Amino acid sequence: MYFTVKAGPQHRLPLYKTVLCVTCVLFLIVNGLSLFHNLESLKSANGQTLQSSRVAERLQYLGVLVQDAESSMRGYFISGNETYLGPTRAVTAETEAEFALLEKLLADNPAQLKNLNQLHQLVRRKLAMMGQAIDVYKHGGLDEIVNIARYADERSGMDEIRLQTVIMIQEQNETLAARSARFYDEYHKALMLGMGINAVAIVVLVMFYQLVRRSYFNQATVEHALQQSNENLEEMVAQRTEQLSVLSRHLISISEEEKARLSRELHDEMGAHLTSISMDIAAVIQPLQKTEPELVSQLRRARATLLETVELKRRIIENLRPSLLDNLGLCAAIDSYTEDFARLTGIPCDTQIGAEVDGIAREGEASLSIALFRIVQESLTNIRKYARAQHVSVTLKQTEEGMLVLRIIDDGIGIASDMIVKPMSHGLLGMRERALLLGGTLTIRRGRGDKGTCIEVFIPPQGGAVAAEPPRQLSNLLRQRADDHIPSLPPCSTHPHSVPALHDPAQ
Protein backbone atom coordinates (compact mmCIF):
# COMPACT_ATOMS: atom_id res chain seq x y z
CA MET A 1 0.00 0.00 0.00
CA TYR A 2 1.37 3.39 -0.99
CA PHE A 3 0.56 6.75 0.57
CA THR A 4 1.02 10.22 -0.84
CA VAL A 5 1.48 13.58 0.86
CA LYS A 6 -0.08 15.55 -2.00
CA ALA A 7 -3.23 17.45 -1.20
CA GLY A 8 -6.44 15.97 -2.53
CA PRO A 9 -8.44 17.67 -5.29
CA GLN A 10 -10.49 20.65 -4.18
CA HIS A 11 -14.14 20.04 -4.95
CA ARG A 12 -16.27 23.06 -5.73
CA LEU A 13 -20.01 23.57 -5.81
CA PRO A 14 -21.41 23.32 -9.36
CA LEU A 15 -21.95 26.64 -11.13
CA TYR A 16 -25.71 26.32 -11.44
CA LYS A 17 -26.06 25.74 -7.70
CA THR A 18 -23.94 28.80 -7.01
CA VAL A 19 -26.06 30.87 -9.43
CA LEU A 20 -29.24 29.69 -7.72
CA CYS A 21 -27.85 30.58 -4.29
CA VAL A 22 -26.76 34.04 -5.45
CA THR A 23 -30.12 34.61 -7.15
CA CYS A 24 -32.01 33.66 -4.02
CA VAL A 25 -29.83 35.97 -1.93
CA LEU A 26 -30.35 38.84 -4.39
CA PHE A 27 -34.11 38.31 -4.31
CA LEU A 28 -34.10 38.40 -0.54
CA ILE A 29 -31.97 41.58 -0.53
CA VAL A 30 -34.28 43.28 -3.06
CA ASN A 31 -37.26 42.17 -1.01
CA GLY A 32 -35.73 43.68 2.11
CA LEU A 33 -34.94 46.98 0.39
CA SER A 34 -38.40 47.11 -1.16
CA LEU A 35 -40.05 46.43 2.16
CA PHE A 36 -37.98 49.17 3.78
CA HIS A 37 -38.91 51.66 1.05
CA ASN A 38 -42.57 50.72 1.21
CA LEU A 39 -42.60 51.00 4.98
CA GLU A 40 -41.14 54.49 4.71
CA SER A 41 -43.80 55.42 2.13
CA LEU A 42 -46.52 53.97 4.35
CA LYS A 43 -45.11 55.84 7.29
CA SER A 44 -45.15 59.10 5.32
CA ALA A 45 -48.71 58.54 4.07
CA ASN A 46 -49.85 57.63 7.56
CA GLY A 47 -48.20 60.80 8.91
CA GLN A 48 -50.01 62.93 6.34
CA THR A 49 -53.28 61.24 7.23
CA LEU A 50 -52.77 61.96 10.90
CA GLN A 51 -51.79 65.54 10.02
CA SER A 52 -55.06 66.05 8.11
CA SER A 53 -57.01 64.60 11.01
CA ARG A 54 -55.28 66.93 13.47
CA VAL A 55 -55.99 69.97 11.25
CA ALA A 56 -59.71 69.11 11.22
CA GLU A 57 -59.69 68.68 14.99
CA ARG A 58 -57.86 71.97 15.53
CA LEU A 59 -60.28 73.86 13.28
CA GLN A 60 -63.25 72.44 15.15
CA TYR A 61 -61.63 73.33 18.42
CA LEU A 62 -60.98 76.89 17.16
CA GLY A 63 -64.68 77.31 16.40
CA VAL A 64 -65.56 76.01 19.82
CA LEU A 65 -63.22 78.58 21.43
CA VAL A 66 -64.88 81.46 19.57
CA GLN A 67 -68.36 80.19 20.44
CA ASP A 68 -67.41 79.80 24.11
CA ALA A 69 -66.05 83.35 24.17
CA GLU A 70 -69.23 84.70 22.65
CA SER A 71 -71.40 82.72 25.08
CA SER A 72 -69.39 83.92 28.09
CA MET A 73 -69.74 87.52 26.89
CA ARG A 74 -73.52 87.19 26.66
CA GLY A 75 -73.65 85.69 30.11
CA TYR A 76 -71.73 88.69 31.37
CA PHE A 77 -74.14 91.07 29.65
CA ILE A 78 -77.14 89.37 31.24
CA SER A 79 -75.78 88.84 34.74
CA GLY A 80 -73.18 91.56 35.05
CA ASN A 81 -70.87 89.05 36.73
CA GLU A 82 -67.30 89.24 35.37
CA THR A 83 -66.61 85.62 36.22
CA TYR A 84 -68.37 84.80 32.99
CA LEU A 85 -65.62 86.66 31.09
CA GLY A 86 -62.97 83.92 31.74
CA PRO A 87 -63.25 82.22 28.32
CA THR A 88 -63.49 85.61 26.61
CA ARG A 89 -60.29 86.90 28.17
CA ALA A 90 -58.37 83.66 27.37
CA VAL A 91 -59.68 83.22 23.87
CA THR A 92 -57.17 85.55 22.22
CA ALA A 93 -54.11 83.69 23.47
CA GLU A 94 -55.67 80.31 22.80
CA THR A 95 -56.73 81.20 19.29
CA GLU A 96 -53.30 82.59 18.47
CA ALA A 97 -51.72 79.35 19.67
CA GLU A 98 -54.15 77.34 17.59
CA PHE A 99 -53.45 79.46 14.51
CA ALA A 100 -49.69 79.02 15.00
CA LEU A 101 -50.16 75.24 15.25
CA LEU A 102 -52.38 75.20 12.18
CA GLU A 103 -49.78 77.17 10.20
CA LYS A 104 -47.21 74.45 11.00
CA LEU A 105 -49.61 71.68 10.07
CA LEU A 106 -50.60 73.36 6.79
CA ALA A 107 -47.10 74.47 5.80
CA ASP A 108 -47.18 72.13 2.76
CA ASN A 109 -50.64 73.28 1.57
CA PRO A 110 -50.65 76.87 0.22
CA ALA A 111 -54.40 76.89 -0.54
CA GLN A 112 -55.26 75.95 3.00
CA LEU A 113 -52.80 78.53 4.32
CA LYS A 114 -54.70 81.21 2.36
CA ASN A 115 -57.99 80.06 3.84
CA LEU A 116 -56.36 79.97 7.25
CA ASN A 117 -55.28 83.62 6.91
CA GLN A 118 -58.83 84.64 6.01
CA LEU A 119 -60.15 82.71 8.98
CA HIS A 120 -57.53 84.32 11.19
CA GLN A 121 -58.66 87.80 10.09
CA LEU A 122 -62.31 86.94 10.69
CA VAL A 123 -61.56 85.61 14.17
CA ARG A 124 -59.49 88.67 15.05
CA ARG A 125 -62.23 90.97 13.86
CA LYS A 126 -64.80 89.02 15.82
CA LEU A 127 -62.69 89.10 18.97
CA ALA A 128 -62.08 92.84 18.51
CA MET A 129 -65.81 93.48 18.25
CA MET A 130 -66.38 91.40 21.35
CA GLY A 131 -63.80 93.46 23.22
CA GLN A 132 -65.45 96.71 22.10
CA ALA A 133 -68.86 95.45 23.18
CA ILE A 134 -67.53 94.65 26.65
CA ASP A 135 -66.00 98.13 26.95
CA VAL A 136 -69.27 99.76 25.86
CA TYR A 137 -71.18 97.65 28.39
CA LYS A 138 -68.86 98.71 31.19
CA HIS A 139 -69.36 102.46 30.41
CA GLY A 140 -72.97 102.65 29.20
CA GLY A 141 -74.68 99.54 30.38
CA LEU A 142 -77.00 97.14 28.68
CA ASP A 143 -78.99 99.78 26.82
CA GLU A 144 -75.98 100.82 24.85
CA ILE A 145 -75.29 97.23 23.94
CA VAL A 146 -78.88 96.82 22.72
CA ASN A 147 -78.55 99.91 20.59
CA ILE A 148 -75.33 98.68 19.12
CA ALA A 149 -76.89 95.29 18.43
CA ARG A 150 -79.70 96.95 16.48
CA TYR A 151 -77.31 98.48 14.03
CA ALA A 152 -74.49 95.87 14.07
CA ASP A 153 -74.79 92.45 12.43
CA GLU A 154 -72.90 90.28 14.86
CA ARG A 155 -74.41 87.08 13.55
CA SER A 156 -73.02 87.63 10.09
CA GLY A 157 -69.44 87.71 11.48
CA MET A 158 -69.93 84.47 13.36
CA ASP A 159 -71.53 82.88 10.30
CA GLU A 160 -68.52 83.84 8.21
CA ILE A 161 -66.24 82.22 10.75
CA ARG A 162 -68.37 79.08 10.76
CA LEU A 163 -68.51 79.05 6.99
CA GLN A 164 -64.76 79.49 6.63
CA THR A 165 -64.19 76.75 9.22
CA VAL A 166 -66.56 74.41 7.43
CA ILE A 167 -64.85 75.09 4.14
CA MET A 168 -61.43 74.36 5.59
CA ILE A 169 -62.68 71.23 7.37
CA GLN A 170 -64.28 69.98 4.17
CA GLU A 171 -61.10 70.60 2.18
CA GLN A 172 -59.13 68.91 4.90
CA ASN A 173 -61.50 65.94 4.84
CA GLU A 174 -61.04 65.71 1.10
CA THR A 175 -57.28 65.84 1.59
CA LEU A 176 -57.60 63.19 4.29
CA ALA A 177 -59.62 60.95 1.99
CA ALA A 178 -57.10 61.40 -0.83
CA ARG A 179 -54.21 60.63 1.47
CA SER A 180 -56.02 57.60 2.89
CA ALA A 181 -56.63 56.31 -0.62
CA ARG A 182 -52.98 56.87 -1.49
CA PHE A 183 -52.00 55.14 1.75
CA TYR A 184 -54.01 52.04 0.86
CA ASP A 185 -52.65 52.12 -2.70
CA GLU A 186 -49.12 52.17 -1.37
CA TYR A 187 -49.97 49.43 1.08
CA HIS A 188 -51.49 47.30 -1.68
CA LYS A 189 -48.47 47.83 -3.93
CA ALA A 190 -46.05 46.97 -1.14
CA LEU A 191 -48.06 43.86 -0.28
CA MET A 192 -48.20 42.65 -3.87
CA LEU A 193 -44.52 43.39 -4.50
CA GLY A 194 -43.49 41.61 -1.29
CA MET A 195 -45.67 38.60 -2.11
CA GLY A 196 -44.25 38.45 -5.62
CA ILE A 197 -40.65 38.62 -4.46
CA ASN A 198 -41.34 36.05 -1.75
CA ALA A 199 -43.00 33.75 -4.27
CA VAL A 200 -39.98 33.97 -6.58
CA ALA A 201 -37.63 33.41 -3.63
CA ILE A 202 -39.68 30.36 -2.56
CA VAL A 203 -39.50 28.95 -6.07
CA VAL A 204 -35.74 29.45 -6.14
CA LEU A 205 -35.42 27.86 -2.69
CA VAL A 206 -37.51 24.88 -3.80
CA MET A 207 -35.29 24.44 -6.86
CA PHE A 208 -32.20 24.67 -4.70
CA TYR A 209 -33.70 22.17 -2.26
CA GLN A 210 -34.39 19.75 -5.08
CA LEU A 211 -30.80 20.07 -6.29
CA VAL A 212 -29.41 19.59 -2.79
CA ARG A 213 -31.76 16.65 -2.20
CA ARG A 214 -30.70 15.06 -5.47
CA SER A 215 -27.04 15.60 -4.63
CA TYR A 216 -27.59 14.13 -1.16
CA PHE A 217 -29.25 11.01 -2.52
CA ASN A 218 -26.54 10.63 -5.16
CA GLN A 219 -23.89 10.96 -2.46
CA ALA A 220 -25.76 8.52 -0.24
CA THR A 221 -25.97 6.07 -3.14
CA VAL A 222 -22.25 6.40 -3.83
CA GLU A 223 -21.42 6.00 -0.12
CA HIS A 224 -23.65 2.94 0.10
CA ALA A 225 -22.00 1.44 -2.96
CA LEU A 226 -18.58 2.25 -1.52
CA GLN A 227 -19.57 0.71 1.80
CA GLN A 228 -20.82 -2.41 0.04
CA SER A 229 -17.59 -2.56 -1.92
CA ASN A 230 -15.55 -2.18 1.28
CA GLU A 231 -17.58 -4.87 3.00
CA ASN A 232 -17.12 -7.17 0.01
CA LEU A 233 -13.39 -6.45 0.00
CA GLU A 234 -13.16 -7.04 3.75
CA GLU A 235 -15.08 -10.27 3.40
CA MET A 236 -12.87 -11.30 0.50
CA VAL A 237 -9.73 -10.39 2.48
CA ALA A 238 -11.06 -12.33 5.48
CA GLN A 239 -11.79 -15.34 3.28
CA ARG A 240 -8.40 -15.17 1.61
CA THR A 241 -6.71 -14.75 5.00
CA GLU A 242 -8.57 -17.75 6.34
CA GLN A 243 -7.69 -19.72 3.25
CA LEU A 244 -4.01 -18.77 3.60
CA SER A 245 -4.12 -19.63 7.29
CA VAL A 246 -5.68 -23.03 6.55
CA LEU A 247 -3.16 -23.55 3.76
CA SER A 248 -0.32 -22.60 6.11
CA ARG A 249 -1.52 -25.06 8.76
CA HIS A 250 -1.95 -27.72 6.09
CA LEU A 251 1.57 -27.09 4.82
CA ILE A 252 2.90 -27.30 8.39
CA SER A 253 1.12 -30.61 8.89
CA ILE A 254 2.38 -31.95 5.57
CA SER A 255 5.89 -30.70 6.34
CA GLU A 256 5.89 -32.47 9.70
CA GLU A 257 4.54 -35.62 8.10
CA GLU A 258 7.19 -35.47 5.39
CA LYS A 259 9.90 -34.85 7.97
CA ALA A 260 8.66 -37.80 10.03
CA ARG A 261 8.54 -40.06 6.97
CA LEU A 262 11.98 -38.96 5.81
CA SER A 263 13.33 -39.42 9.33
CA ARG A 264 11.97 -42.97 9.47
CA GLU A 265 13.39 -43.80 6.06
CA LEU A 266 16.80 -42.41 7.01
CA HIS A 267 16.73 -44.22 10.31
CA ASP A 268 15.50 -47.53 8.99
CA GLU A 269 16.88 -47.94 5.51
CA MET A 270 19.94 -45.72 5.49
CA GLY A 271 20.79 -46.71 9.06
CA ALA A 272 20.58 -50.40 8.13
CA HIS A 273 22.77 -49.88 5.08
CA LEU A 274 25.38 -47.93 7.00
CA THR A 275 25.41 -50.54 9.76
CA SER A 276 25.78 -53.30 7.19
CA ILE A 277 28.67 -51.46 5.54
CA SER A 278 30.33 -50.93 8.89
CA MET A 279 29.99 -54.64 9.73
CA ASP A 280 31.40 -55.65 6.35
CA ILE A 281 34.39 -53.34 6.75
CA ALA A 282 35.02 -54.73 10.23
CA ALA A 283 34.81 -58.27 8.86
CA VAL A 284 37.30 -57.48 6.05
CA ILE A 285 39.76 -55.78 8.40
CA GLN A 286 40.24 -58.89 10.55
CA PRO A 287 41.79 -61.21 7.88
CA LEU A 288 43.81 -58.42 6.27
CA GLN A 289 45.53 -57.13 9.37
CA LYS A 290 48.64 -59.28 8.85
CA THR A 291 48.79 -59.54 5.10
CA GLU A 292 47.72 -56.10 3.90
CA PRO A 293 48.44 -53.50 6.61
CA GLU A 294 48.18 -50.56 4.19
CA LEU A 295 44.77 -51.70 2.98
CA VAL A 296 43.66 -52.15 6.59
CA SER A 297 44.68 -48.58 7.34
CA GLN A 298 42.57 -47.35 4.42
CA LEU A 299 39.64 -49.45 5.54
CA ARG A 300 39.87 -48.07 9.06
CA ARG A 301 39.84 -44.51 7.67
CA ALA A 302 36.82 -45.48 5.57
CA ARG A 303 35.17 -46.92 8.67
CA ALA A 304 35.86 -43.66 10.60
CA THR A 305 34.31 -41.71 7.75
CA LEU A 306 31.37 -44.07 7.86
CA LEU A 307 30.94 -43.43 11.57
CA GLU A 308 30.96 -39.68 10.91
CA THR A 309 28.31 -40.28 8.27
CA VAL A 310 26.26 -42.18 10.82
CA GLU A 311 26.61 -39.26 13.23
CA LEU A 312 25.58 -36.86 10.44
CA LYS A 313 22.61 -39.08 9.72
CA ARG A 314 21.68 -38.99 13.39
CA ARG A 315 21.82 -35.19 13.49
CA ILE A 316 19.72 -34.95 10.34
CA ILE A 317 17.17 -37.32 11.79
CA GLU A 318 17.08 -35.37 15.06
CA ASN A 319 16.50 -32.14 13.17
CA LEU A 320 13.77 -33.69 11.07
CA ARG A 321 12.03 -35.49 13.93
CA PRO A 322 13.49 -35.73 17.43
CA SER A 323 13.73 -39.39 18.34
CA LEU A 324 13.23 -38.60 22.03
CA LEU A 325 9.82 -37.16 21.15
CA ASP A 326 8.62 -40.52 19.85
CA ASN A 327 10.52 -42.73 22.25
CA LEU A 328 10.50 -40.92 25.63
CA GLY A 329 7.87 -38.24 25.15
CA LEU A 330 7.52 -34.47 25.02
CA CYS A 331 9.07 -33.75 28.44
CA ALA A 332 12.29 -35.58 27.65
CA ALA A 333 12.54 -34.00 24.19
CA ILE A 334 12.14 -30.43 25.49
CA ASP A 335 14.43 -31.07 28.44
CA SER A 336 17.13 -32.52 26.19
CA TYR A 337 16.83 -29.66 23.70
CA THR A 338 17.07 -26.97 26.39
CA GLU A 339 20.09 -28.75 27.84
CA ASP A 340 21.78 -28.76 24.45
CA PHE A 341 20.80 -25.07 24.03
CA ALA A 342 22.47 -24.14 27.34
CA ARG A 343 25.56 -26.17 26.49
CA LEU A 344 26.00 -24.73 22.99
CA THR A 345 25.08 -21.06 23.65
CA GLY A 346 26.35 -20.62 27.21
CA ILE A 347 22.98 -19.16 28.29
CA PRO A 348 21.48 -20.76 31.45
CA CYS A 349 18.04 -22.20 30.78
CA ASP A 350 15.59 -23.24 33.50
CA THR A 351 13.07 -25.87 32.42
CA GLN A 352 9.87 -26.62 34.34
CA ILE A 353 7.55 -29.20 32.82
CA GLY A 354 4.55 -30.61 34.61
CA ALA A 355 4.41 -34.35 35.22
CA GLU A 356 0.99 -34.55 33.59
CA VAL A 357 2.19 -33.13 30.26
CA ASP A 358 3.42 -36.44 28.81
CA GLY A 359 0.09 -38.08 29.53
CA ILE A 360 -1.79 -35.23 27.90
CA ALA A 361 0.53 -35.34 24.88
CA ARG A 362 0.05 -39.12 24.45
CA GLU A 363 -3.72 -38.92 24.81
CA GLY A 364 -4.09 -35.81 22.64
CA GLU A 365 -3.63 -35.34 18.93
CA ALA A 366 -0.45 -36.51 17.26
CA SER A 367 0.42 -32.93 16.26
CA LEU A 368 0.32 -31.62 19.85
CA SER A 369 3.78 -32.85 20.87
CA ILE A 370 5.58 -31.81 17.71
CA ALA A 371 3.83 -28.40 17.66
CA LEU A 372 4.86 -27.56 21.23
CA PHE A 373 8.38 -28.82 20.59
CA ARG A 374 8.70 -26.76 17.39
CA ILE A 375 7.49 -23.64 19.23
CA VAL A 376 10.14 -24.18 21.92
CA GLN A 377 12.74 -24.88 19.24
CA GLU A 378 11.88 -21.74 17.21
CA SER A 379 11.73 -19.56 20.33
CA LEU A 380 15.15 -20.69 21.57
CA THR A 381 16.58 -20.24 18.08
CA ASN A 382 15.34 -16.62 18.01
CA ILE A 383 16.74 -16.05 21.49
CA ARG A 384 20.13 -17.41 20.41
CA LYS A 385 20.20 -15.20 17.29
CA TYR A 386 18.70 -11.90 18.41
CA ALA A 387 17.84 -11.62 22.11
CA ARG A 388 21.29 -11.16 23.71
CA ALA A 389 19.78 -12.77 26.78
CA GLN A 390 21.56 -13.76 29.98
CA HIS A 391 18.93 -16.16 31.24
CA VAL A 392 16.04 -18.16 29.73
CA SER A 393 13.18 -20.08 31.34
CA VAL A 394 10.84 -22.60 29.69
CA THR A 395 7.63 -23.58 31.50
CA LEU A 396 5.02 -26.07 30.31
CA LYS A 397 2.17 -26.85 32.72
CA GLN A 398 -1.52 -27.58 32.90
CA THR A 399 -3.86 -25.16 34.67
CA GLU A 400 -6.74 -26.10 36.92
CA GLU A 401 -9.10 -25.63 33.97
CA GLY A 402 -7.21 -28.27 31.97
CA MET A 403 -5.50 -25.82 29.60
CA LEU A 404 -1.86 -26.32 28.62
CA VAL A 405 0.26 -23.19 29.03
CA LEU A 406 3.72 -22.90 27.49
CA ARG A 407 5.91 -19.94 28.43
CA ILE A 408 9.34 -19.06 27.09
CA ILE A 409 10.79 -16.01 28.88
CA ASP A 410 14.15 -14.31 28.35
CA ASP A 411 15.79 -11.17 29.76
CA GLY A 412 17.24 -9.92 26.48
CA ILE A 413 16.65 -6.76 24.47
CA GLY A 414 13.07 -7.75 23.59
CA ILE A 415 11.07 -7.41 20.41
CA ALA A 416 10.04 -4.07 18.89
CA SER A 417 6.48 -2.95 19.65
CA ASP A 418 5.41 -3.03 16.01
CA MET A 419 6.66 -6.59 15.71
CA ILE A 420 4.70 -7.60 18.81
CA VAL A 421 1.48 -6.07 17.47
CA LYS A 422 1.97 -7.21 13.86
CA PRO A 423 4.64 -9.91 13.72
CA MET A 424 5.97 -10.29 10.18
CA SER A 425 8.73 -12.80 10.99
CA HIS A 426 8.18 -16.19 9.40
CA GLY A 427 9.25 -17.86 12.63
CA LEU A 428 6.71 -15.95 14.74
CA LEU A 429 3.98 -16.51 12.15
CA GLY A 430 4.86 -20.20 12.02
CA MET A 431 4.58 -20.51 15.82
CA ARG A 432 1.23 -18.73 15.77
CA GLU A 433 -0.07 -21.00 13.02
CA ARG A 434 1.04 -24.07 14.95
CA ALA A 435 -0.90 -22.83 17.98
CA LEU A 436 -3.96 -22.14 15.82
CA LEU A 437 -3.64 -25.62 14.33
CA LEU A 438 -4.26 -26.99 17.84
CA GLY A 439 -7.15 -24.57 18.44
CA GLY A 440 -5.04 -22.44 20.80
CA THR A 441 -3.55 -18.96 20.84
CA LEU A 442 -0.07 -17.47 20.98
CA THR A 443 0.74 -14.10 22.53
CA ILE A 444 3.98 -12.13 22.57
CA ARG A 445 4.64 -9.44 25.18
CA ARG A 446 7.32 -8.00 27.39
CA GLY A 447 9.01 -10.26 29.94
CA ARG A 448 9.65 -9.88 33.67
CA GLY A 449 10.22 -6.32 34.82
CA ASP A 450 9.36 -5.08 31.31
CA LYS A 451 12.55 -6.62 30.00
CA GLY A 452 13.07 -9.22 27.34
CA THR A 453 10.28 -11.19 25.73
CA CYS A 454 7.59 -13.55 26.96
CA ILE A 455 6.01 -15.98 24.51
CA GLU A 456 2.86 -17.65 25.82
CA VAL A 457 0.95 -20.45 24.17
CA PHE A 458 -2.49 -21.52 25.42
CA ILE A 459 -3.81 -24.88 24.23
CA PRO A 460 -7.39 -25.79 25.24
CA PRO A 461 -8.18 -29.23 26.68
CA GLN A 462 -8.36 -32.18 24.27
CA GLY A 463 -6.95 -29.91 21.56
CA GLY A 464 -10.45 -28.48 20.93
CA ALA A 465 -10.99 -25.39 18.86
CA VAL A 466 -11.22 -22.08 20.62
CA ALA A 467 -14.59 -20.40 20.35
CA ALA A 468 -14.97 -17.05 18.66
CA GLU A 469 -15.04 -15.43 22.11
CA PRO A 470 -12.34 -16.92 24.41
CA PRO A 471 -13.51 -18.33 27.74
CA ARG A 472 -13.06 -16.37 30.94
CA GLN A 473 -10.24 -18.65 32.08
CA LEU A 474 -8.31 -17.94 28.90
CA SER A 475 -8.88 -14.19 29.28
CA ASN A 476 -7.60 -14.35 32.84
CA LEU A 477 -4.51 -16.23 31.70
CA LEU A 478 -3.87 -13.70 28.97
CA ARG A 479 -3.86 -10.94 31.59
CA GLN A 480 -1.32 -12.71 33.83
CA ARG A 481 2.13 -11.23 34.24
CA ALA A 482 5.10 -13.11 32.88
CA ASP A 483 6.34 -13.95 36.37
CA ASP A 484 2.92 -15.05 37.76
CA HIS A 485 2.74 -18.56 39.19
CA ILE A 486 0.67 -21.13 37.33
CA PRO A 487 -0.54 -23.89 39.67
CA SER A 488 0.21 -27.39 38.44
CA LEU A 489 1.31 -30.81 39.62
CA PRO A 490 4.89 -31.36 40.79
CA PRO A 491 7.20 -30.67 37.85
CA CYS A 492 8.83 -33.42 35.93
CA SER A 493 12.04 -31.46 35.37
CA THR A 494 12.99 -28.46 37.49
CA HIS A 495 16.75 -28.51 37.30
CA PRO A 496 18.42 -25.59 35.58
CA HIS A 497 20.58 -26.27 32.54
CA SER A 498 23.74 -24.25 33.05
CA VAL A 499 26.94 -23.90 31.07
CA PRO A 500 29.11 -27.05 31.42
CA ALA A 501 32.41 -26.79 33.27
CA LEU A 502 35.75 -27.17 31.55
CA HIS A 503 36.25 -30.68 32.94
CA ASP A 504 32.85 -31.84 31.74
CA PRO A 505 33.45 -34.85 29.45
CA ALA A 506 30.46 -33.81 27.32
CA GLN A 507 32.37 -30.75 26.28
Side-chain angles (χ1 to χ4, degrees):
M1 183 178 293
Y2 297 94
F3 298 93
T4 178
V5 296
K6 296 182 180 179
Q10 297 181 354
H11 300 282
R12 296 182 178 179
L13 197 67
L15 180 61
Y16 64 93
K17 293 185 179 180
T18 305
V19 171
L20 282 178
C21 290
V22 173
T23 304
C24 184
V25 172
L26 290 177
F27 273 121
L28 294 176
I29 293 174
V30 171
N31 188 25
L33 295 176
S34 175
L35 288 176
F36 177 77
H37 175 71
N38 292 332
L39 286 176
E40 291 296 326
S41 300
L42 292 176
K43 181 179 179 181
S44 177
N46 189 30
Q48 292 178 356
T49 303
L50 293 176
Q51 180 182 351
S52 300
S53 178
R54 289 186 63 190
V55 168
E57 291 177 357
R58 293 296 94 192
L59 288 174
Q60 291 177 357
Y61 181 65
L62 185 61
V64 171
L65 289 177
V66 174
Q67 290 179 0
D68 288 344
E70 186 178 15
S71 298
S72 65
M73 181 188 67
R74 290 177 180 174
Y76 171 67
F77 287 162
I78 295 172
S79 63
N81 189 358
E82 292 188 1
T83 56
Y84 285 97
L85 293 178
T88 304
R89 292 172 180 173
V91 69
T92 301
E94 292 179 355
T95 54
E96 291 298 329
E98 292 296 328
F99 278 115
L101 180 59
L102 287 171
E103 286 179 358
K104 292 181 181 180
L105 295 175
L106 297 175
D108 57 344
N109 194 340
Q112 286 288 77
L113 283 177
K114 184 177 181 180
N115 293 331
L116 182 63
N117 290 331
Q118 292 179 1
L119 179 61
H120 196 183
Q121 292 176 2
L122 292 174
V123 170
R124 285 180 178 177
R125 186 174 62 180
K126 178 64 177 178
L127 294 180
M129 292 177 63
M130 291 171 60
Q132 292 176 1
I134 293 173
D135 291 339
V136 170
Y137 177 80
K138 287 181 179 180
H139 292 89
L142 185 58
D143 294 335
E144 293 294 331
I145 296 300
V146 173
N147 292 328
I148 292 174
R150 289 177 181 177
Y151 300 101
D153 190 4
E154 297 180 2
R155 187 174 184 83
S156 61
M158 194 63 194
D159 290 340
E160 289 179 357
I161 292 174
R162 290 193 186 95
L163 179 60
Q164 189 66 26
T165 302
V166 170
I167 291 173
M168 291 187 66
I169 290 174
Q170 185 176 0
E171 290 181 356
Q172 201 63 35
N173 288 334
E174 293 176 357
T175 302
L176 179 61
R179 288 178 176 177
S180 298
R182 188 166 63 253
F183 172 80
Y184 285 110
D185 290 340
E186 293 289 338
Y187 177 78
H188 182 71
K189 290 180 181 178
L191 181 63
M192 296 303 295
L193 180 61
M195 291 177 62
I197 294 176
N198 286 335
V200 175
I202 289 173
V203 172
V204 174
L205 284 176
V206 170
M207 294 174 61
F208 185 71
Y209 169 76
Q210 293 293 335
L211 292 175
V212 171
R213 182 172 177 269
R214 187 182 306 167
S215 300
Y216 173 77
F217 280 111
N218 291 337
Q219 183 179 0
T221 303
V222 172
E223 290 179 354
H224 180 69
L226 182 60
Q227 183 179 2
Q228 290 292 114
S229 177
N230 290 336
E231 291 178 356
N232 294 335
L233 289 176
E234 290 177 359
E235 184 178 358
M236 185 181 299
V237 169
Q239 292 177 355
R240 295 293 175 85
T241 303
E242 181 63 24
Q243 292 174 358
L244 291 176
S245 180
V246 172
L247 177 61
S248 175
R249 299 169 201 170
H250 179 65
L251 292 177
I252 290 174
S253 301
I254 292 178
S255 175
E256 292 298 335
E257 292 175 0
E258 289 294 325
K259 288 179 180 179
R261 183 185 61 80
L262 183 58
S263 174
R264 287 193 300 270
E265 291 180 357
L266 289 175
H267 182 272
D268 296 339
E269 298 181 10
M270 186 176 181
H273 294 327
L274 292 176
T275 302
S276 176
I277 294 173
S278 177
M279 294 173 63
D280 291 339
I281 292 175
V284 172
I285 289 175
Q286 292 295 332
L288 295 178
Q289 286 182 354
K290 296 179 180 181
T291 59
E292 298 290 341
E294 295 180 358
L295 184 59
V296 169
S297 176
Q298 293 179 356
L299 290 175
R300 286 178 176 174
R301 287 197 299 271
R303 189 169 183 272
T305 304
L306 182 61
L307 294 177
E308 293 178 357
T309 305
V310 171
E311 180 64 20
L312 176 62
K313 184 263 303 182
R314 188 189 67 81
R315 290 200 302 269
I316 293 174
I317 291 174
E318 290 297 324
N319 289 331
L320 291 175
R321 178 81 176 189
S323 58
L324 290 177
L325 193 65
D326 297 326
N327 299 328
L328 300 180
L330 179 61
C331 294
I334 294 178
D335 189 72
S336 175
Y337 188 83
T338 55
E339 184 177 0
D340 292 339
F341 171 82
R343 179 173 56 84
L344 296 175
T345 61
I347 302 174
C349 181
D350 294 337
T351 306
Q352 294 182 357
I353 303 176
E356 73 283 0
V357 173
D358 273 336
I360 297 174
R362 285 192 297 269
E363 294 175 1
E365 297 180 1
S367 59
L368 176 61
S369 298
I370 188 62
L372 293 176
F373 180 82
R374 293 301 186 193
I375 292 174
V376 173
Q377 185 182 34
E378 183 66 30
S379 300
L380 294 180
T381 301
N382 291 336
I383 292 173
R384 177 176 58 83
K385 290 181 179 179
Y386 312 111
R388 304 177 191 174
Q390 302 298 323
H391 186 272
V392 180
S393 66
V394 178
T395 305
L396 178 58
K397 299 180 181 179
Q398 185 184 28
T399 63
E400 296 178 354
E401 293 79 11
M403 182 174 295
L404 281 178
V405 179
L406 171 64
R407 284 184 179 176
I408 301 99
I409 305 173
D410 67 82
D411 57 356
I413 60 175
I415 303 177
S417 300
D418 55 346
M419 291 295 296
I420 293 178
V421 178
K422 296 181 179 180
M424 298 303 294
S425 171
H426 296 292
L428 297 178
L429 291 176
M431 289 191 294
R432 180 159 294 174
E433 290 299 324
R434 289 182 185 275
L436 292 176
L437 184 62
L438 299 174
T441 59
L442 182 141
T443 60
I444 304 173
R445 54 188 175 87
R446 305 295 293 182
R448 296 185 181 96
D450 202 27
K451 294 181 180 180
T453 306
C454 175
I455 298 177
E456 293 178 320
V457 181
F458 300 90
I459 306 298
Q462 305 298 326
V466 178
E469 183 178 354
R472 182 174 302 176
Q473 296 85 353
L474 177 58
S475 301
N476 294 334
L477 288 172
L478 290 175
R479 289 194 294 268
Q480 282 183 334
R481 293 165 49 89
D483 50 359
D484 288 345
H485 175 68
I486 301 177
S488 64
L489 296 175
C492 173
S493 174
T494 59
H495 62 278
H497 301 305
S498 58
V499 182
L502 294 177
H503 61 276
D504 193 341
Q507 190 178 12

